[in-house]
């Protein structure tokens, strides 16, 4: 240290060097655990100062270069003379242990000597562009020890891991230390670890598991194999936490998965009697959940599983439909049963999707596709849309009488219906059937639960849009309004002072909402005419400019029949009442006379007469007493008629309007297709045929599946009506005509 | 862990200062914290046979000033001009 005191002695190389050597030897002895006194006071200072001096002296006594080389030399020599031989003379685990310990010693030595030689790092190493002391020390170890040992070390490590895989105990801490060593000897990068160890480890792992896979797949069932596979993956993950570097984990897991799961996927999943389909068949939810867990991590691994699921559900559904067909007798399908079973099936497999398959979209899709296939099949000629509507109808009727159905059952049934409707492609058919049945419920049965009806409409609206339910909601509103009119009318009659005549009520329906009903210009019996007139007058006071059209086909009448034995109250339709009242004046009437008097059509009259003379209750006697009505028959009031009940309902056989419903809907569809096509062309202006057709199908798919032929026809029609035109150059393209 | 350390100058003067203050010098810090049973770390005593008392005293003052400065007390540290050269060299040695 030149402190301005010239008397400070210059330290020459040999002296300085020997001081250092002394310390180094001492250090080695300490590190090797040999008996040695600890460094005494001043020794640190002495070493540091010596080196400091030697570096700051003016040349030629500036020994920085030599000191750096000496530093390196210390490690090199130590490595060659002592470290390497001591490792090489051992084998297996002992060798690893020695390797690990020597590495730790080396680290400490580097640190200590760096303290002494520290001054070099402050200026010299950077200026001379040399690696710093720490790096130099480590590099020595790497070049002279690691390079020679790592191959053998790797062999030993892999052998130990193999031992552990065969369920034997090994020294995990040792492995961790040695593998850390590999990592650290890569200096800044992982390439030593990767190239000298990891590569071989992964190879060994894949061949190990590949052997296992082949033997397992021969001997085990699918569930057993899966359990073993899961176990192996778990153990390998643990292995990483115990001693492997975390970078290895993804590569390891992928390797094991590839061998255990991917390459055997086909054999495993399609295994006879225990593969995917069998597990579904036997409801083995645990095994299926395991299968999901295992294949979830593999890209595209779940596709075969979801495919098997879809096929299984489809076949279950098809079986269900077939069974229903078999059970159906004379078109008398027990729709309650079928729909209930479909709902149950849906529920069962939805649980699978949520629990076994963790809500994965692939399985939702599979379930949806499966249901869409068999939900659109007909059962004994009746479409599923109609079946569902029938189901709802019966359900609502029953729930009125059956008080045991509590609110939550009703709520959940309604929800299930809505879910099922989602799978049916002809939703508009359902809407129409439902609407017709709703009308019957509201008008004929009179007892309906407004709340329940509204609940299902709300849910349908939420799922399918307001347009789907707007008419039906209107119907319900009409019924509410009708009640108000009833009381209003009563007040009116009371106020007018006129006698009311017979007891009657009128329900006013808004035309657009309700299904269209045939009406006829029935000649009412006189008694009824005045009632109608007074109601019309009342209605005029409420709203002007509205035309009331009377639909007699829907009305109900209570007649008192004065029969010989006892009077019986007859509940009949208005038509039937009109016919019966005609007999108030005469005993006997022919078919022709009745036809003229009442101004009814043939079809209606025949039906009515049939119900009064050829069915269960013979209120009229027919001549000749055949089973069918003919135009030459004549009728007579049957005063001898009686029944044990005091009040009987004489039903009119309902018309089978299924075909009409389908026709009506098909008509509506044509309008919908037209509107859709025009809408699309208006926004696109120019569109090719293919694109137009596919977009149209997509937009309409919410309601129904349009027939391509019909679409084509509608396009032609629109061209004729000059909404669209064909492009002159390209006949496959259409242009919008504004 | 001792609270104080003793720095001894070439004339044998002993300066007892806080450990934290002494650690401002990197050299002293390594000495005190290096593993290996150096007596310096055990006893907490460091001898500087090449640093005079005056300089060592100034150095100790510097340590404390440095701590205060780093805590926000921004004052000036006055160095007598005739001490400057020796002080710089000591600083270099002590890596301060």
């Amino acid at each position: 240290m030149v402190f301005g005191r010239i008397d400070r002695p210059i330290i020459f190389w040999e002296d300085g060097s020997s001081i250092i050597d002394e310390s180094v030897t001492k250090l080695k002895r300490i590190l090797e655990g040999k008996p040695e006194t600890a460094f005494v006071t001043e020794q640190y200072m002495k070493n540091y100062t010596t080196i400091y001096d030697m570096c700051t002296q003016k040349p030629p006594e500036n020994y920085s270069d030599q000191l750096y080389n000496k530093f390196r030399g210390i490690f090199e020599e130590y490595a060659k003379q002592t470290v390497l031989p001591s490792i090489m003379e051992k084998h297996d685990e002992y060798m690893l242990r020695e390797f690990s310990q020597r590495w730790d010693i080396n680290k400490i030595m580097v640190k200590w000597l760096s303290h002494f030689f520290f001054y070099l790092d402050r200026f010299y190493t950077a200026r001379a562009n040399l690696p710093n002391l720490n790096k130099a020390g480590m590099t020595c170890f790497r070049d002279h020890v690691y390079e020679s040992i790592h191959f053998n070390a790797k062999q030993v490590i892999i052998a130990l891991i193999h031992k552990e895989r065969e369920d034997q105990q090994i020294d995990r801490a040792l492995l961790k230390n040695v593998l850390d060593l590999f990592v650290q000897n890569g200096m800044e990068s992982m390439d030593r670890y990767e190239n000298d160890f990891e590569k071989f480890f992964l190879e060994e792992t894949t061949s190990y598991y590949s052997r296992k896979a082949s033997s397992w797949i021969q001997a085990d069932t699918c569930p057993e194999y899966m359990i073993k596979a899961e176990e192996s993956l778990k153990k390998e993950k643990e292995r990483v936490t115990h001693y492997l570097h975390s970078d290895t984990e993804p590569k390891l897991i992928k390797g094991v998965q590839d061998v255990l799961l991917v390459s055997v996927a086909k054999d495993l999943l399609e295994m006879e009697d225990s593969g995917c389909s069998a597990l579904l068949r036997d409801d083995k939810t645990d095994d299926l959940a395991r299968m999901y867990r295992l294949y979830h991590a593999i890209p595209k691994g779940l596709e075969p599983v979801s495919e098997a699921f879809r096929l299984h559900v489809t076949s279950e559904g098809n079986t269900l439909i077939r069974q229903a067909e078999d059970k159906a007798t004379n078109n008398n399908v027990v729709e309650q049963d079928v729909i209930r079973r479909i709902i149950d099936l849906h529920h069962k497999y939805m649980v699978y999707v949520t629990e076994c398959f963790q809500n994965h979209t692939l399985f939702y899709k599979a379930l949806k596709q499966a249901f869409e296939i068999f939900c659109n099949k007909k059962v004994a000629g009746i479409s599923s849309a109609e079946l569902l509507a029938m189901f709802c109808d019966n359900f609502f009727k029953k729930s009125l009488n059956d008080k045991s159905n509590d609110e939550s059952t009703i709520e959940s049934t309604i929800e299930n219906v809505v879910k099922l409707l989602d799978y049916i492609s002809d939703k508009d058919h359902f809407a129409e059937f439902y609407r017709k049945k709703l009308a019957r419920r509201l008008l004929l049965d009179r007892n309906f639960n407004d709340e329940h009806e509204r609940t299902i409409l709300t849910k349908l609206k939420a799922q399918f849009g307001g347009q789907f339910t707007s008419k039906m909601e209107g119907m319900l509103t009409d019924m509410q309004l009708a009640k108000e009119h009833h009381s209003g009318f009563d007040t009116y009659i009371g106020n007018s002072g006129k006698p009311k005549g017979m007891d009657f009520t009128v329900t006013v329906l808004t035309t657009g909402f309700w299904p269209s009903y045939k009406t006829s210009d029935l000649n009412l019996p006189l008694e009824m005419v005045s009632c109608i007139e007074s109601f019309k007058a009342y209605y005029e006071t409420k709203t002007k400019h509205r035309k009331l059209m009377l639909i007699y086909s829907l009305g109900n009448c209570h007649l008192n029949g004065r029969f010989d034995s006892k009077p019986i109250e007859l509940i009949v339709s208005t038509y039937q009442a009109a016919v019966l009242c005609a007999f108030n004046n005469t005993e006997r009437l022919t078919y022709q006379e009745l036809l003229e008097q009442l101004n009814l059509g043939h079809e209606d009259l025949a039906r009515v007469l049939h119900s009064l003379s050829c069915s269960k209750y013979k209120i009229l006697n027919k001549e000749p007493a055949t089973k069918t009505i003919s135009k030459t028959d004549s009728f007579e009031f049957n005063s001898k008629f009686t029944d044990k009940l005091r009040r009987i309902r004489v039903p009119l056989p309902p018309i089978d309007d299924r075909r009409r419903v389908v026709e009506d809907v098909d008509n509506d569809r044509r309008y919908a297709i037209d509107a859709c096509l025009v809408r699309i062309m208006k926004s696109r202006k120019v569109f090719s045929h293919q694109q137009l057709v596919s977009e149209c199908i997509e937009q309409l798919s919410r309601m129904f599946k349009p027939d391509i032929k019909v679409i084509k026809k509608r396009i032609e029609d629109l061209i004729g009506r000059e909404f669209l035109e064909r492009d002159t150059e390209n006949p496959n393209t259409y242009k919008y005509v504004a | 862990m001792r609270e104080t350390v003793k720095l001894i100058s070439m004339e044998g003067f002993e300066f007892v200062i806080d450990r934290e203050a002494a650690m401002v010098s990197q050299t002293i810090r390594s000495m005190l914290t290096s593993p290996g049973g150096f007596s310096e770390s055990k006893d907490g005593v460091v001898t500087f046979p090449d640093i005079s008392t005056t300089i060592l005293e100034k150095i100790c003052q510097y340590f404390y000033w440095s701590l205060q400065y780093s805590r926000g007390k921004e004052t000036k540290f006055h160095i007598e001009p005739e001490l400057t050269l020796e002080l710089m060299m000591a600083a270099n040695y002590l890596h301060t």
Side-chain angles (χ1 to χ4, degrees), chain A residues 317-380:
Chain A
N318 283 336
T319 315
L320 221 161
I321 301 284
R322 248 201 324 274
Q323 280 172 354
E325 285 246 355
D326 293 340
K327 271 203 251 182
T329 50
N330 310 328
N331 276 347
N332 200 9
V333 179
V334 190
E335 73 284 345
Q336 287 281 343
D337 190 44
V338 167
I339 300 291
R340 276 256 165 251
R341 288 175 73 195
I342 295 182
I343 290 177
D344 289 341
L345 191 75
H346 188 255
H347 183 76
K348 173 175 171 189
Y349 287 108
M350 191 50 102
V351 170
Y352 271 58
V353 174
T354 49
E355 289 184 4
C356 293
F357 302 125
Q358 306 293 332
N359 276 320
H360 197 279
T361 46
L362 214 54
F363 291 89
Y364 269 116
K365 233 174 92 175
L367 187 70
K368 185 169 185 299
Q369 282 170 347
F371 266 77
E372 275 171 1
I373 290 185
F374 68 80
C375 275
N376 287 307
K377 288 200 170 164
K378 291 199 176 181
V379 180

Side-chain angles (χ1 to χ4, degrees), chain A residues 172-429:
Chain A
R172 287 177 174 160
L174 175 62
L175 280 189
K176 190 164 170 52
N177 286 337
V178 178
L179 287 173
D180 264 342
L181 199 170
F182 274 71
V183 173
Q184 286 174 33
N185 268 287
M187 301 291 158
E188 307 295 299
S189 83
M190 290 289 288
D191 59 344
R192 284 285 187 272
Y193 176 80
E194 281 171 13
N195 293 332
D196 298 336
F197 166 73
E198 198 186 49
K199 214 169 60 177
F200 300 98
F201 168 68
L202 290 173
E203 260 174 44
E204 161 69 19
T205 308
T206 22
S207 64
Y208 177 82
Y209 279 109
S210 157
R211 282 197 302 276
K212 289 280 173 188
S214 340
S215 78
W216 289 345
I217 201 90
Q218 300 283 355
D220 296 325
T221 64
C222 174
E224 284 169 1
Y225 183 96
M226 288 200 293
I227 291 177
K228 287 187 186 160
E230 206 172 34
E231 194 52 40
S232 308
L233 281 167
K234 192 165 127 218
K235 278 211 209 116
E236 291 304 317
K237 276 206 185 96
E238 274 173 23
R239 185 156 294 120
V240 174
T241 57
H242 289 144
Y243 46 80
L244 296 173
H245 192 276
S246 56
D247 279 2
T248 310
E249 183 169 342
K251 300 175 206 170
L252 176 62
I253 296 297
K254 184 169 182 316
V256 176
Q257 271 175 353
D258 277 348
V259 172
L260 282 184
L261 297 172
V262 172
S263 44
V264 303
K266 201 155 150 38
D267 293 331
L268 184 65
L269 295 175
E270 293 177 13
M271 210 184 263
E272 285 258 4
D273 289 338
S274 63
C276 203
S277 340
L279 292 175
L280 284 165
R281 210 179 49 218
D282 300 333
D283 291 325
K284 294 269 196 292
T285 46
D286 283 340
D287 293 323
L288 286 168
R290 180 168 298 114
M291 189 180 277
Y292 176 82
R293 279 199 302 276
L294 287 173
Y295 279 92
H296 175 67
I298 298 173
K300 299 207 175 190
L302 287 174
E303 281 172 17
V305 185
S306 76
E307 186 56 22
F309 180 66
R310 183 179 72 81
L311 289 172
H312 177 77
V313 175
T314 315
S315 86
E316 290 273 292
N318 283 336
T319 315
L320 221 161
I321 301 284
R322 248 201 324 274
Q323 280 172 354
E325 285 246 355
D326 293 340
K327 271 203 251 182
T329 50
N330 310 328
N331 276 347
N332 200 9
V333 179
V334 190
E335 73 284 345
Q336 287 281 343
D337 190 44
V338 167
I339 300 291
R340 276 256 165 251
R341 288 175 73 195
I342 295 182
I343 290 177
D344 289 341
L345 191 75
H346 188 255
H347 183 76
K348 173 175 171 189
Y349 287 108
M350 191 50 102
V351 170
Y352 271 58
V353 174
T354 49
E355 289 184 4
C356 293
F357 302 125
Q358 306 293 332
N359 276 320
H360 197 279
T361 46
L362 214 54
F363 291 89
Y364 269 116
K365 233 174 92 175
L367 187 70
K368 185 169 185 299
Q369 282 170 347
F371 266 77
E372 275 171 1
I373 290 185
F374 68 80
C375 275
N376 287 307
K377 288 200 170 164
K378 291 199 176 181
V379 180
I382 306 181
S383 71
S384 51
E386 193 182 344
L387 280 176
L388 196 58
M390 281 158 76
F391 175 81
C392 292
D393 190 44
N394 283 330
F395 177 73
F396 280 125
K397 282 195 208 156
K398 260 211 318 210
S399 70
L400 283 174
N401 302 325
D402 184 5
K403 294 296 173 204
S404 68
N405 260 347
D406 62 358
E407 284 306 307
S408 58
T409 331
I410 296 180
E411 178 94 20
S412 68
T413 311
I414 292 178
E415 265 184 42
N416 283 325
V417 165
V418 176
K419 271 190 225 159
L420 219 51
L421 186 59
D422 209 17
Y423 297 125
I424 296 178
S425 44
D426 292 335
K427 301 192 200 345
D428 51 353
H429 275 152

Side-chain angles (χ1 to χ4, degrees), chain A residues 1-5 8 38-45 48-49 52 56 111-112 115-116 118-119 122-123, chain B residues 10 27 30-31 34-40 42-43 45-48 50-52 86 89-90 92-93 95:
Chain A
M1 227 180 321
V2 182
F3 265 165
R5 257 175 294 188
R8 182 87 192 130
F39 277 98
V40 185
T41 329
E42 293 165 350
Q43 274 183 314
Y44 186 101
M45 281 307 300
Y48 179 76
T49 314
Y52 180 87
T56 51
K111 190 157 178 210
W112 278 1
H115 281 313
F116 292 163
F118 182 61
Y119 195 75
R122 280 182 69 185
F123 304 106
Chain B
M10 72 157 86
T27 311
S30 326
M31 240 186 265
S34 71
F38 291 113
S39 58
E40 281 86 354
K42 272 202 286 203
D43 304 335
V45 175
V46 188
T47 320
F48 295 101
D50 298 318
I51 305 183
S52 71
E86 288 188 42
M89 301 190 80
N92 187 30
Y93 177 76
H95 195 190

Side-chain angles (χ1 to χ4, degrees), chain A residues 52 59 65 79 102 117 131-132 187 213 225 277 298 356 369 374 401 435 457 464 488 523 552 554 644-645 688:
Chain A
Y52 180 87
D65 291 328
R102 286 288 169 189
F117 283 74
N132 68 13
M187 301 291 158
Y225 183 96
S277 340
I298 298 173
C356 293
Q369 282 170 347
F374 68 80
N401 302 325
R435 192 165 74 112
L457 289 183
F464 304 110
N523 279 341
Y552 298 115
L554 294 176
K644 59 178 184 326
L645 296 169
S688 81

Side-chain angles (χ1 to χ4, degrees), chain A residues 436 443 509 511 514-522 549-555 574-575 600-607 654-657 660 664:
Chain A
K436 293 222 129 161
L443 297 173
L509 313 176
T511 318
W514 297 77
S516 42
Y517 295 107
K518 270 189 349 191
T519 186
S520 58
D521 237 345
L522 176 67
M549 201 167 68
L550 289 151
I551 315 251
Y552 298 115
S553 48
L554 294 176
T574 313
Y575 286 178
L600 270 178
H602 280 291
E603 214 182 288
D604 288 324
L605 186 59
R607 262 178 67 225
I655 325 171
D656 180 9
D657 53 359
R660 249 199 77 203
D664 286 343

Side-chain angles (χ1 to χ4, degrees), chain A residues 472-658:
Chain A
M472 299 182 241
E473 282 178 328
M475 287 157 73
L476 284 178
T477 320
D478 274 350
M479 297 307 290
Q480 290 295 105
L481 284 177
K483 278 204 204 113
E484 285 172 26
H485 277 303
H486 291 166
S487 51
F489 182 58
D490 282 343
T491 327
Y492 171 85
I493 293 286
N495 288 344
S496 73
K498 278 196 278 182
K500 198 173 168 193
M502 65 184 74
D503 198 9
F504 83 110
T505 51
V506 177
T507 312
V508 180
L509 313 176
T510 314
T511 318
F513 296 153
W514 297 77
S516 42
Y517 295 107
K518 270 189 349 191
T519 186
S520 58
D521 237 345
L522 176 67
N523 279 341
L524 279 181
L526 284 167
E527 302 91 328
M528 299 188 194
V529 174
S530 56
C531 302
I532 302 293
E533 292 305 316
S534 59
F535 184 82
K536 275 194 178 152
Y538 158 75
Y539 199 70
E540 277 291 298
T541 67
K542 288 281 154 191
T543 40
K544 300 222 182 295
H545 310 302
R546 280 203 195 159
K547 185 158 176 280
L548 283 179
M549 201 167 68
L550 289 151
I551 315 251
Y552 298 115
S553 48
L554 294 176
N556 256 345
C557 246
H558 292 225
L559 291 180
N560 272 332
R562 289 196 210 95
F563 299 104
D564 287 346
S565 46
K566 68 172 194 259
I568 299 183
E569 192 179 327
L570 301 167
I571 304 176
V572 291
S573 76
T574 313
Y575 286 178
Q576 288 164 315
V579 167
L580 287 174
C581 282
F583 287 91
N584 270 343
N585 304 322
T586 50
E587 280 288 322
R588 209 187 151 86
L589 286 163
T590 64
Y591 184 90
Q592 282 299 118
E593 285 170 332
L594 279 168
L595 195 67
E596 277 162 40
Q597 205 178 350
L598 297 172
N599 201 19
L600 270 178
H602 280 291
E603 214 182 288
D604 288 324
L605 186 59
R607 262 178 67 225
V608 170
L609 287 171
H610 190 278
S611 69
L612 294 172
S613 60
C614 308
S615 304
K616 188 171 173 193
Y617 304 113
K618 292 200 175 20
I619 311 212
L620 298 175
N621 282 330
K622 185 167 87 86
E623 247 174 76
T626 51
K627 280 280 157 192
T628 52
I629 308 287
S630 72
K631 300 200 178 126
T632 52
D633 291 344
S634 56
F635 299 87
E636 202 181 53
F637 178 69
N638 181 10
S639 50
K640 303 265 182 292
F641 173 79
T642 190
D643 192 83
K644 59 178 184 326
L645 296 169
R646 290 217 137 231
R647 172 199 277 196
I648 53 176
R649 187 185 278 265
V650 184
L652 254 186
I655 325 171
D656 180 9
D657 53 359
R658 179 179 304 140

